[in-house]
């Protein structure tokens, strides 16, 4: 798998792969048999490589010292655009607690605010709001931030 490939590559790839392996070991109940590791999905925004899928929950593992990570907005928008994602609760971004001690919510939101988010994604994730806006989606992400983004 790509985790094994990452271990062999060295450097940041090895650290990332070790974080995934350690998190799966420490939080094993979250990753039952049938868990899918390292697979790709095609979205309107392009191809998205997903670290882990458990049922209809999609996990992204980040072993980075700087947050939000480079390319965050583009990657998170692709996550929201995944065909099987209909609710933000299906997205889990786990950050390596050995590298970061806090997640600056406003910086994450600012990057999303500066990015283009297709109206179809907004409509899909906010079905109970008539004519939802990007600002409505950002408010929902802010409200659910600690359920989506966490340090492990």
């Amino acid at each position: 798998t790509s985790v094994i490939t990452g271990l062999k590559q060295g450097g940041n790839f090895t650290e990332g792969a070790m974080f995934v392996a350690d998190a799966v070991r420490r939080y094993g109940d979250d990753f039952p048999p049938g868990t899918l590791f390292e697979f790709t999905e095609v979205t309107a925004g392009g191809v998205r490589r997903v670290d882990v899928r458990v049922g209809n929950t999609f996990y992204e593992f980040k072993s980075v010292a700087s947050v939000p990570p480079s390319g965050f907005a583009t990657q998170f928008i692709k996550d929201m655009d995944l065909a099987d994602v209909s609710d933000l609760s299906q997205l889990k971004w786990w950050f390596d607690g050995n590298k970061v001690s806090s997640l600056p919510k406003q910086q994450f939101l600012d990057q999303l605010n500066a990015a283009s988010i297709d109206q179809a994604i907004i409509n899909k994730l906010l079905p109970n709001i008539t004519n939802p806006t990007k600002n409505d989606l950002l408010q929902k992400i802010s409200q659910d931030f600690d359920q989506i983004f966490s340090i492990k």
Side-chain angles (χ1 to χ4, degrees):
T1 69
S2 293
V3 171
I4 300 300
T5 301
L7 286 170
K8 292 179 180 178
Q9 283 181 291
N12 291 340
F13 292 103
T14 298
E15 290 178 22
M18 288 174 65
F19 173 54
V20 172
D22 183 58
V24 169
R25 180 188 58 78
R26 288 189 296 138
Y27 302 96
D29 290 346
D30 291 337
F31 305 102
T35 295
L36 300 174
F37 291 88
E38 300 277 344
F39 69 98
T40 57
E41 293 269 328
V42 177
T43 70
V47 174
R48 173 70 174 100
R49 185 190 55 77
V50 177
D51 287 338
V52 178
R53 179 179 180 166
V54 179
N56 280 332
T57 301
F58 299 85
Y59 290 82
E60 179 64 25
F61 291 84
K62 292 293 184 189
S63 184
V64 296
S66 177
V67 289
S70 174
F72 158 72
T74 300
Q75 196 172 9
F76 191 73
I77 291 166
K78 285 183 182 180
D79 283 0
M80 292 190 293
D81 194 31
L82 291 168
D84 290 332
V85 171
S86 60
D87 191 271
L88 289 170
S89 67
Q90 294 174 256
L91 302 177
K92 307 288 183 198
W93 278 49
W94 287 11
F95 290 84
D96 188 342
N98 292 319
K99 293 194 175 183
V100 297
S101 58
S102 65
L103 300 174
K105 176 170 43 172
Q106 193 56 52
Q107 291 178 29
F108 282 80
L109 295 172
D110 288 348
Q111 285 195 13
L112 288 170
N113 189 46
S116 175
I117 303 175
D118 191 83
Q119 187 63 43
I121 295 171
I122 297 168
N123 294 344
K124 172 177 82 162
L125 293 173
L126 300 173
N128 298 323
I129 297 177
T130 304
N131 301 317
T133 65
K134 180 179 180 180
N135 192 52
D136 292 326
L137 179 60
L138 293 176
Q139 286 179 335
K140 178 68 172 156
I141 293 168
S142 178
Q143 176 185 325
D144 295 350
F145 189 86
D146 293 337
Q147 286 74 50
I148 300 168
F149 303 99
S150 57
I151 298 172
K152 299 291 183 180

